Amino acid sequence: MVAIGLSAGAVARLRFALSCLWEVVASVRVLRDPGDHAIHLPWVNRVRPRLIEAGLVGADGGLLWQLVPRAPGYLADFLTPPPAGLTPDLGQELSALRATPPDTVRAQLDLYPGDRPPALEGLYADPADGLRRLAEEIGTYWRLALAAEWPRIRALLDAEVFRRARRLAEEGAAGLLNDLHERVRWEGDALLISQRHCAAPDVPEGSGLVLVPSVFVWPSVLSIAAGDVPQLAYPARGLGALWECPPAAPDALGAVLGRGRARLLAELDAPRSTTELARRTGMSPAGVSQHLAALRAAGLVVTHRAGRSLLSGRTPVAEALLTAAG
């Protein structure tokens, strides 16, 4: 059991953040044991061959592969430095990773069980050079495995933050924290995280808590309780349709609304930005914006801001229309 101290002052400093590195680390765990993450099998089957060819996963995998064991094995905290906010930036996170003090790297490597493989032995001997090589590996991994998928992942994570922020406003911290995951509950002045194999120390006080919604951490949670900034990565909602192709717009609805607008409604199975909708439909961004404006005016679409993006989603009226037309 991990207990993260959450006094009234700490709750006031609670914040959300999105993180590229959390998705990298959690996705490597998915690749190590895809059977426990069946929801992500479409992604695994798509990216695993190219990652094996690049020598990033499998028996010959490099630093990243060696540092991320199968669950519930120990995971070094320096792999996921505290993310800055709601605008994830892989370059910024990798800079924080490379800046990890050598003593911290060695102390956390000492927590790995058994003999260190050659890749980790090199990191232990020269942390600065090892972290530089690790950052390069992560950049390649990102390009091969996650970059093309990031727009849809980002849209889902943005929608999750919006939904949780609204719950916080409506029900307060208790309503938010006790609804994150079945292994997480808030009692008294502590957030209790039930993790059978976690050996992290309790944190009686702290600078608040960073909540990191994640796609690949499903079905569990991952926490960092040590250090000045405790973090909790938890599964974002809406994962069931993440890798699915959206249903085609019913012809009957296209006859009423127009094929373009009906197609956009079908694509809005999750909140999406204008840029993402343009990519998915082949329409121009200007055309998408015009259609969305008309759909908003008709009460079929609602749009909200998430960071620098505007995300559009279907209203209950639109859902009813799609169901009836289908």
Side-chain angles (χ1 to χ4, degrees):
M1 180 74 71
V2 177
I4 299 177
L6 283 180
S7 63
V11 169
R13 294 190 295 274
L14 182 150
R15 66 181 176 90
F16 287 91
L18 303 183
S19 168
C20 299
L21 278 183
W22 268 112
E23 297 302 336
V24 166
V25 169
S27 66
V28 172
R29 278 202 155 168
V30 170
L31 289 165
R32 275 197 172 277
D33 201 356
D36 282 352
H37 305 84
I39 199 169
H40 295 305
L41 283 178
W43 171 81
V44 171
N45 294 334
R46 191 159 56 244
V47 305
R48 189 179 184 88
R50 70 183 76 142
L51 293 171
I52 292 175
E53 184 178 359
L56 293 175
V57 305
D60 298 325
L63 270 172
L64 179 62
W65 186 253
Q66 300 297 335
L67 282 165
V68 183
R70 293 180 61 179
Y74 171 73
L75 194 63
D77 291 348
F78 67 75
L79 288 169
T80 49
L86 296 178
T87 305
D89 185 322
L90 180 62
Q92 185 180 35
E93 291 185 73
L94 290 178
S95 294
L97 173 69
R98 287 192 296 266
T100 306
D103 289 346
T104 300
V105 173
R106 293 190 176 104
Q108 293 180 13
L109 288 178
D110 283 336
L111 298 177
Y112 281 78
D115 296 331
R116 277 189 292 270
L120 296 192
E121 196 62 58
L123 175 60
Y124 193 94
D126 189 345
D129 181 67
L131 291 175
R132 178 189 59 78
R133 290 186 288 110
L134 175 61
E136 291 176 355
E137 273 191 27
I138 291 173
T140 302
Y141 179 93
W142 180 269
R143 177 174 56 82
L144 294 176
L146 294 176
E149 316 291 355
W150 185 243
R152 70 166 72 185
I153 292 173
R154 174 70 189 275
L156 188 146
L157 296 178
D158 283 338
E160 169 69 11
V161 171
F162 176 79
R163 181 165 49 243
R164 295 294 183 179
R166 182 169 183 173
R167 190 177 187 100
L168 177 63
E170 292 175 344
E171 301 184 22
L176 168 70
L177 296 173
N178 287 319
D179 187 52
L180 287 176
H181 193 273
E182 61 184 7
R183 296 186 183 181
V184 178
R185 70 183 190 275
W186 187 32
E187 292 185 0
D189 291 332
L191 188 70
L192 305 179
I193 306 167
S194 177
Q195 298 192 98
R196 254 186 328 167
H197 301 281
C198 185
D202 292 353
V203 177
E205 294 295 338
S207 59
L209 174 68
V210 181
L211 297 175
V212 185
S214 169
V215 163
F216 290 104
V217 75
W218 181 91
S220 187
V221 294
L222 290 173
S223 63
I224 293 179
D228 296 330
V229 185
Q231 302 177 60
L232 175 66
Y234 70 93
R237 292 189 177 181
L239 291 175
L242 179 63
W243 307 120
E244 294 178 0
C245 294
D251 291 340
L253 190 60
V256 175
L257 298 178
R259 185 170 297 176
R261 291 171 188 172
R263 172 73 188 281
L264 287 176
L265 282 184
E267 293 284 349
L268 288 173
D269 53 328
R272 304 188 192 282
S273 68
T274 299
T275 301
E276 170 71 355
L277 287 169
R279 185 185 68 81
R280 294 171 70 94
T281 62
M283 302 180 194
S284 69
V288 170
S289 294
Q290 290 177 355
H291 286 317
L292 288 177
L295 292 169
R296 275 195 300 271
L300 300 177
V301 164
V302 62
T303 301
H304 65 270
R305 179 170 293 280
R308 297 181 181 178
S309 299
L310 291 173
L311 300 181
S312 296
R314 296 193 295 237
T315 66
V317 176
E319 298 285 358
L321 275 176
L322 282 165
T323 300

